[in-house]
Amino acid sequence: MKSEDKKSGVGIQIPVKNIKIHQPKTDEQYKPRDQIYVRKVQGFFQQLRQKMNFIFLIGFAIIPWFQYNGHQAILFDIAEQRFTFWGLTLWPQDLTLLAWLFIIGAFLLFFVTTFLGRVWCGYLCPQTVWTFIFIWFEEKIEGTANQRKKLDSQKLDFNKFWRKALKHFCWLMFSILTALTFVGYFVPVEQAFMDFFTFNASLGLASVVWFFTFCTYGNAGWMREIMCLHMCPYARFQSAMFDKDTLTVTYDYNRGESRGPRSRKQDPKDLGLGDCIDCNLCVHVCPTGIDIRNGLQYECINCGACVDACDGVMDRMNYDRGLIRYTTEHELEGKKVHIIRPKLIGYALVLIIMGSLLVFEIMHREPVSMDIIRDRTELAKENFNGEIENVYTLKILNKSQTDNYYRLSMKGIDNITWNGDQEVFVKAASVYTLPISITVDPYELEGAYMTDITFVIELISDEDEVVVEHESRFFNKR
């Protein structure tokens, strides 16, 4: 394309760049995902992952069965609005403690991600743990990745039928056990197992168990990497916590390129090749099906499977390990790696402060509390003796794990008459409801329409005496 300069009259050549826009075909645009046949690999990181998965799974399975002081040690009883952690019982009034726990957990995840990348996903995420367990069932029943691929391509015969049926049966049974164990954190676990397997479970319990059964079966058996790629929000915002000193699984491009096959006896430098022999084994062992050689991708869960696979190939080729390894951008660029850096220090300080506040709040948490509910029909009334009477309902919450006797009293007005029990017995982790009425000579009120009063709870014990005070109001009749 040419244009003419008005002053000089000389034509000026304007460069034009042709840009081709790729328009995907309709059938490719909506093509379903290809099934990933994850190949088994052995190595240091896979052994570490398997041991961590085993510890996580055993902990998940046995924790609901622990007993403490005659009750289930860990129980989130939503129906009773009571969360039990060994010797600590939390109620809706203690919601701030749960909030602190969630906030600390979030910042701990940020800290670990900044330091070690997405290792939570690769080593401890339940989706990853259960996916590898389901893949283990596939390997034991259907064979290796190549055998599974060959089996799926065959027509349905008896061999294919019984293998597929047994695999899905194992998946379903494991999903049922998973769902029952998970429900056992919210209802008494022994009763849940007994009722379910004896067909005496309530409709609500059975519905929840079957719901989580099919969620586990679908997520770990069928969806797998779809959960990590498209449904997990952590995959999307993890990069905001990464920096150039974050340890991630990375392919050493400068060392590996140009890639290409060769024999062990050939010198790659003579062939103009790097250390990567382009075997694609790193792709075959990846549970999300990505090629780590294309650079850092949000789909990578940092499980280290490609690291072990590549190290094995390097050993066979007599090359140095580490073509794919846990490393940082600064290390690949030949720069100094800063392990201790401002972002990590900031997260660590926040964790220390929040953890200290949580411990402080737990240590100063009152073991008993009281809610005061006034009579809703009338604020005050005059009895046959001419005294003013106010009616209250006291709800005494024993937050401790021991049964206790409490003494009740009121201050703020002299010469009152307490109508109701003043010494009560409250079982551990339970609420005691006590209706009472307070009568006062109107001369004690000095004509005031409303008087501030305080209800007092004292623990009847030789060891220690807990005093809890709760303010309220006493109304005069007008």
Side-chain angles (χ1 to χ4, degrees), residues 245-285:
D245 291 305
T246 300
L247 279 172
T248 56
V249 174
T250 309
Y251 168 69
D252 193 338
Y253 181 87
N254 296 325
R255 174 185 162 186
E257 300 298 322
S258 297
R259 67 184 78 156
R262 82 294 302 268
S263 68
R264 269 183 284 187
K265 297 181 179 180
Q266 291 178 301
D267 188 350
K269 294 181 180 179
D270 295 339
L271 301 174
L273 299 174
D275 285 354
C276 180
I277 66 173
D278 203 19
C279 62
N280 287 326
L281 192 59
C282 56
V283 181
H284 297 159
V285 301

Side-chain angles (χ1 to χ4, degrees), residues 176-195:
I176 291 175
L177 292 177
T178 299
L180 275 171
T181 303
F182 180 75
V183 170
Y185 283 87
F186 300 91
V187 298
V189 63
E190 295 182 8
Q191 192 66 37
F193 270 81
M194 187 179 301
D195 289 347

